[in-house]
């Protein structure tokens, strides 16, 4: 069955529970209309209603002008074996106001394809998490979305496991936005994050970015970051653990950054950038394997990093950073909180293993 109204959303559930959708195609025609909308609960347009609930399988939420799926209030959804793709001018799945979704073995691709790429539009996101919502996404394909594969802001929780996230115009994954209270928590595990930043080859974009406004905690484990046009991963604030990942053929494998609010023209780090980097492989990134910068003039915010270790599984491997690559490990304006334990990393076939500018606390 195809539900394709000329106006309005294809299906709206208001405070409705127990619904199952099977084998449908939801494709609206009107500007701003959505495929599936769940309404009810605090923060929604019907706060006195209970949050709506739905179980969907083998459903095509496609070619809607607005979001293919929008959850508001305390709504929740379980979606599997479905397509949430090719929203003409919006996103694949938006979660707002403490809503929850689990999405499994589905495709969330090609969203925002009618919208110009610059300046950066509020369109074309695969997963769009806002206002204390939570996403559990497993074994999905998130490809070729106009802006971001996944974005989480405003105290959201993101659990991403074994997804393919590729070909995003900007970042594959980004956490935190420009507002206060960006206590986002993320668990990024076993994903393939590749070829993101397709619209910004000159400056590049990141596979995963933990923006400077973040105040939460983030775990990045067992992923492959391959061929992203700037960093495989960027951390500009928060507490982050990078373990067991592979960073291959990005411009830079991981970039760490810290900057004070008093520095003119910079987006300040909301917290210190506190990272543990252990058991990762950095291979053939074209500039640096690992780059860390405490921005000039910064006296308050710090980079506190442990890179490698001597216990089993803690050593990082840095290899094949050859011309025109600069360093396996590179530093700018760092202090002794940047520690590479002696014998805690291995190096092979690099032009330069550790830049001379790195503090003496980072040693081979």
């Amino acid at each position: 069955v195809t539900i394709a109204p000329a106006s309005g959303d294809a299906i709206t559930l208001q405070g409705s529970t127990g619904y199952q959708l099977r084998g449908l195609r939801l494709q609206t025609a009107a500007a701003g209309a959505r495929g599936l909308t769940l309404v009810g609960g605090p923060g929604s347009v019907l706060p006195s209603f209970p949050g709506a609930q739905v179980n969907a399988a083998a459903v095509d939420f496609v070619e809607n002008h607005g979001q293919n799926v929008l959850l508001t209030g305390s709504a929740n959804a379980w979606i599997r074996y479905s397509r949430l793709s090719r929203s003409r001018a919006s996103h694949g799945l938006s979660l707002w106001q403490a809503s929850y979704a689990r999405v499994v073995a589905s495709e969330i691709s090609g969203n925002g394809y009618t919208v110009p790429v610059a300046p950066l539009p509020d369109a074309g996101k695969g997963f769009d998490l806002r206002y204390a919502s939570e996403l559990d996404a497993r074994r999905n394909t998130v490809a070729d979305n106009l802006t971001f594969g996944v974005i989480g802001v405003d105290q959201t929780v993101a659990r991403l496991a074994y997804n393919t996230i590729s070909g995003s115009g900007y970042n594959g994954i980004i956490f935190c936005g420009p507002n206060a209270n960006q206590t986002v928590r993320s668990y990024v595990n076993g994903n393939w994050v590749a070829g993101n930043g397709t619209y910004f080859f000159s400056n590049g974009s990141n596979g995963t970015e933990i923006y400077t406004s973040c105040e939460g905690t983030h775990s990045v484990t067992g992923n492959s970051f391959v061929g992203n046009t700037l960093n495989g991963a960027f951390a500009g604030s928060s507490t982050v653990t990078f373990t067991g990942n592979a960073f291959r053929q990005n411009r830079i494998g991981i970039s760490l950054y810290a900057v004070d609010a008093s520095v003119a023209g910079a987006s300040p780090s909301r917290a210190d950038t506190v990272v543990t980097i252990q058991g990762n492989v950095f291979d053939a990134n074209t500039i640096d394997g690992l780059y860390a910068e405490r921005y000039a003039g910064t006296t308050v915010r710090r980079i506190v990093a442990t890179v490698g270790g001597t216990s089993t599984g803690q050593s990082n491997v840095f290899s094949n950073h050859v011309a025109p690559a600069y360093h396996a490990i590179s530093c700018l304006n760092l202090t002794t909180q940047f520690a590479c334990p002696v014998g805690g990393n291995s190096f092979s076939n690099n032009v330069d293993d550790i830049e001379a500018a790195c503090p003496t606390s980072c040693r081979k």
Side-chain angles (χ1 to χ4, degrees):
V1 173
T2 296
I3 301 175
S7 62
D9 299 342
I11 294 179
T12 300
L13 301 180
Q14 300 182 353
S16 306
T17 62
Y19 272 76
Q20 298 188 41
L21 306 180
R22 299 287 186 273
L24 300 175
R25 183 182 180 94
L26 306 185
Q27 180 177 342
T28 60
R34 296 155 296 217
L36 172 66
T37 304
L38 273 63
V39 177
S44 76
V45 296
L46 296 171
S48 61
F49 280 43
Q53 301 174 357
V54 70
N55 182 315
V59 176
D60 276 348
F61 307 94
V62 296
E63 294 287 352
N64 298 282
H65 188 270
Q67 290 98 331
N68 287 314
V69 178
L70 170 64
L71 277 61
T72 68
S74 54
N76 67 81
W78 183 20
I79 300 171
R80 60 199 189 278
Y81 310 119
S82 296
R83 291 196 301 164
L84 297 83
S85 298
R86 292 182 60 81
S87 164
R88 300 196 300 277
S90 190
H91 317 308
L93 170 64
S94 286
L95 304 176
W96 296 356
Q97 297 115 355
S99 58
Y100 173 86
R102 173 177 285 181
V103 184
V104 178
S106 295
E107 181 182 23
I108 305 91
S109 299
N111 291 291
Y113 69 93
T114 68
V115 179
V117 300
L120 180 64
D122 184 17
K125 303 164 187 174
F127 289 113
D128 168 44
L129 289 70
R130 312 182 194 188
Y131 319 124
S133 58
E134 182 170 347
L135 170 69
D136 184 348
R138 309 181 188 187
R139 303 193 309 277
N140 301 289
T141 298
V142 185
D144 303 321
N145 293 288
L146 179 74
T147 50
F148 307 117
V150 181
I151 180 170
V153 301
D154 305 323
Q155 300 177 289
T156 53
V157 178
R159 305 177 191 275
L160 309 175
Y162 308 108
N163 304 286
T164 294
I165 302 171
S166 64
S168 307
Y170 294 80
N171 295 323
I173 304 167
I174 183 168
F175 296 121
C176 303
N179 301 322
N181 299 317
Q182 297 288 310
T183 51
V184 174
R185 288 182 291 140
S186 71
Y187 307 86
V188 181
N189 178 41
N191 302 279
W192 176 268
V193 185
N196 296 288
T198 58
Y199 295 129
F200 277 80
F201 285 119
S202 59
N203 297 317
S205 296
N206 305 313
T208 292
E209 178 170 334
I210 298 161
Y211 187 56
T212 56
S213 61
C214 274
E215 300 179 38
T217 58
H218 306 268
S219 174
V220 182
T221 303
N223 306 278
S224 292
F225 297 93
V226 180
N228 298 287
T229 59
L230 187 52
N231 303 290
F234 171 91
S237 186
S238 260
T239 299
V240 190
T241 302
F242 295 101
T243 55
N245 304 284
F247 298 90
R248 290 190 166 95
Q249 298 175 336
N250 308 282
R251 189 175 296 181
I252 300 172
I254 296 178
S255 281
L256 309 177
Y257 183 72
V259 61
D260 286 349
S262 60
V263 176
S267 177
S269 299
R270 193 82 32 91
D272 289 344
T273 302
V274 181
V275 298
T276 301
I277 302 172
Q278 293 177 331
N280 303 281
V281 172
F282 297 83
D283 181 62
N285 299 287
T286 57
I287 294 181
D288 295 316
L290 170 62
Y291 172 78
E293 177 182 355
R294 193 181 192 211
Y295 196 79
T298 296
T299 59
V300 177
R301 292 296 177 221
R302 304 173 300 160
I303 293 175
V304 181
T306 300
V307 182
T310 56
S311 297
T312 301
Q314 291 183 337
S315 176
N316 301 294
V317 176
F318 294 87
S319 60
N320 300 316
H321 296 93
V322 297
Y326 299 141
H327 315 280
I329 298 177
S330 178
C331 310
L332 182 62
N333 304 326
L334 289 193
T335 61
T336 55
Q337 284 107 359
F338 189 80
C340 311
V342 174
N345 299 285
S346 65
F347 301 86
S348 64
N349 195 35
N350 302 298
V351 171
D352 183 22
D353 293 334
I354 299 177
E355 185 179 12
C358 289
T360 57
S361 56
C362 184
R363 300 177 61 189
K364 290 174 65 174

